Amino acid sequence: MSRVLVLGAGGPAGGQFIRSLRLAKTPYTIIGADSSPYLLEFSQTSERVLLPAAGEITFPDRLLEIIRDFQPALVYAAPDTCVLAVSHLRKEIEAEGCRVFLPSPFTIERVTPSKQPLTGATYAVQTLWWRGRLVILQARRRIMWMAGASQVSE
C-alpha cells in the first residue's frame, strides 16, 4: 500500500486531494500534516501529524523528520505557502526516497509576482483521474504543471 504525505490536510485543497485518493481503486495510507491542530482533526487521513507553518524556521527539519518516520512515497503540498518551501527541499526529500511533483524553485519564483509566496487568489491545485491514474494539475496564469512535467502554454 502506497503512503502519501499531504501537507495542509486540514484545508480545502488538501481535503479535496485526500477525497480524490480515497476514491482510487488503489488503497493509500494517507498521512495528513497541518500547522493547525483544529483543522487537522477533521481531515480524513489515516494518520495525523502537526507541522510548523512553512515560514517557520523549524519547518524543514520537522518535515524531513516526518518523512523519515512515516516513509511516504509522495509528498503533496496543498497550501500555497508550502509549495515553494517543499520545492526548495526537493533534493533532501528525494534523498529520503520520497517523490515530489513540483517545478523547481526557480520556476515558482519566476511566475510569482515580486517573488513572494503564491497566494490563493492566483494559484489553484486540481487533481483528477485519467485512464486509471491520479493526475495532479497545478495551474497559475498561463503555466501548467502536470505530474511534475512543466509546459508553458502560449
Side-chain angles (χ1 to χ4, degrees), residues 23-26 28 128-135:
L23 293 173
K25 292 178 183 177
T26 304
Y28 291 97
L128 59 92
W129 288 96
W130 183 66
R131 295 188 182 178
R133 294 184 60 196
L134 179 67
V135 177

Side-chain angles (χ1 to χ4, degrees), residues 66-120:
I66 291 167
I67 291 169
R68 285 184 205 108
D69 289 347
F70 291 95
Q71 300 179 337
L74 171 71
V75 172
Y76 178 79
D80 310 338
T81 55
C82 290
V83 171
L84 184 59
V86 169
S87 184
H88 275 287
L89 293 169
R90 167 182 267 128
K91 288 182 183 176
E92 292 89 342
I93 292 170
E94 290 177 345
E96 297 295 333
C98 186
R99 298 181 74 184
V100 176
F101 289 118
L102 286 173
S104 70
F106 173 79
T107 302
I108 294 171
E109 290 170 351
R110 186 164 181 187
V111 299
T112 306
S114 304
K115 301 199 185 315
Q116 296 298 314
L118 301 172
T119 60

Side-chain angles (χ1 to χ4, degrees), residues 51-73:
L51 179 68
E56 297 288 327
I57 195 161
T58 57
F59 177 83
D61 291 335
R62 180 66 179 131
L63 177 60
L64 293 172
E65 178 184 336
I66 291 167
I67 291 169
R68 285 184 205 108
D69 289 347
F70 291 95
Q71 300 179 337

Side-chain angles (χ1 to χ4, degrees), residues 1-15:
M1 184 179 307
S2 293
R3 300 173 68 81
V4 178
L5 174 59
V6 179
L7 307 184

